[in-house]
Amino acid sequence: MPQLPPDLYALPPMRALLASESAVLAPELARSTGDHALHIAPVPEIVPPPLPLLGRWARLHLARGGWQGDVQARANEPLPFQDDAFGVVVLRHAVEIVPDGDDLIAEAARVLAPGGFLAITGVHPVSAWAPWFQWRARGTRASLRQPVMLRSACGRADLHVIAVHRAGQVLPSITTGEGSSLAGGAYILLARKQRVAATPLRVIKAVNAPVQSGSLVSGARRAAR
């Protein structure tokens, strides 16, 4: 799997764009609750925003053809988490770095709890940032997607799109914007999982069983600390 240069997201204009995204994301995510949240990004330096009402973040980034971070897994396989495991999932510039962004969105929907909150961010392909981003990618072509195409992928995954925002400056700049901008270089798509949890037809007696934090699927490996 071709990877974008890891230092791309450390460039001053890109850091400013990420800061503008965070300004839009923070109030949207502040109302979210749950025991766990999942953050997926190209590099570990892109950190998740603070969520005071959530328990903790699980973090993944792409390296050496696979997911690294709190757990390790192959990037061309399903995410190493159980269904409905997270109250919040944030794909921060993640659809730019995988071969099939629709598959990643479907996996995000699978691990998102019913009623859970999904946020997807990326460089908008119809912006002045797109050619700059592709140039800085050094020949490794990024998959820049129109938000309208992501809407379709969300609909197929039982996700209801709440809003789509733009963020950042109009031109690649080291100046941090105030968040939303009609022609900014980044998009932020917000959605919720529509499917409700199944109601059991009969009462099931509770059984004591050990539960591992993070809701890993069988066979997934925790990253060494």
Side-chain angles (χ1 to χ4, degrees):
M1 178 188 303
Q3 280 187 238
L4 298 175
D7 60 347
L8 170 60
Y9 297 92
L11 295 174
M14 202 64 208
R15 292 175 63 184
L17 190 66
L18 291 168
S20 295
E21 291 175 12
S22 295
V24 175
L25 277 173
E28 298 288 348
L29 296 177
R31 297 182 292 273
S32 299
T33 60
D35 293 330
H36 297 90
L38 175 63
H39 185 270
I40 300 180
V43 293
E45 288 76 17
I46 301 179
V47 298
L51 294 180
L53 300 182
L54 277 158
R56 67 179 296 272
W57 284 100
R59 297 176 58 183
L60 296 180
H61 65 275
L62 192 66
R64 299 184 296 277
W67 297 118
Q68 306 290 326
D70 289 331
V71 298
Q72 298 177 355
R74 295 180 181 274
N76 59 353
E77 294 179 351
L79 292 174
F81 302 103
Q82 296 176 353
D83 295 358
D84 306 334
F86 299 98
V88 171
V89 176
V90 177
L91 304 180
R92 196 87 183 270
H93 290 264
V95 297
E96 298 168 353
I97 61 173
V98 294
D100 194 326
D102 288 6
D103 283 351
L104 182 58
I105 291 172
E107 274 298 290
R110 178 184 66 80
V111 302
L112 187 64
F117 186 84
L118 172 71
I120 306 173
T121 77
V123 173
H124 201 293
V126 185
S127 71
W129 285 76
W132 176 88
F133 188 85
Q134 297 287 12
W135 169 57
R136 287 293 188 176
R138 302 175 188 168
T140 304
R141 192 160 188 83
S143 300
L144 302 185
R145 303 281 301 279
Q146 286 261 26
V148 66
M149 299 174 66
L150 300 181
R151 278 181 177 270
S152 299
C154 287
R156 291 190 294 271
D158 286 330
L159 296 166
H160 172 64
V161 175
I162 301 169
V164 178
H165 301 291
R166 295 285 288 268
Q169 300 293 314
V170 175
L171 299 173
S173 166
I174 62 174
T175 303
T176 302
E178 294 299 323
S180 297
S181 171
L182 293 178
Y187 66 83
I188 299 99
L189 182 146
L190 309 173
R192 286 198 180 275
K193 188 170 182 177
Q194 292 181 295
R195 180 165 50 85
V196 297
T199 302
L201 298 179
R202 59 188 177 86
V203 176
I204 301 174
K205 183 179 180 181
V207 177
N208 292 328
V211 178
Q212 296 182 353
S213 176
S215 302
L216 300 183
V217 296
S218 177
R221 295 178 292 128
R222 291 195 179 278
R225 293 291 183 180

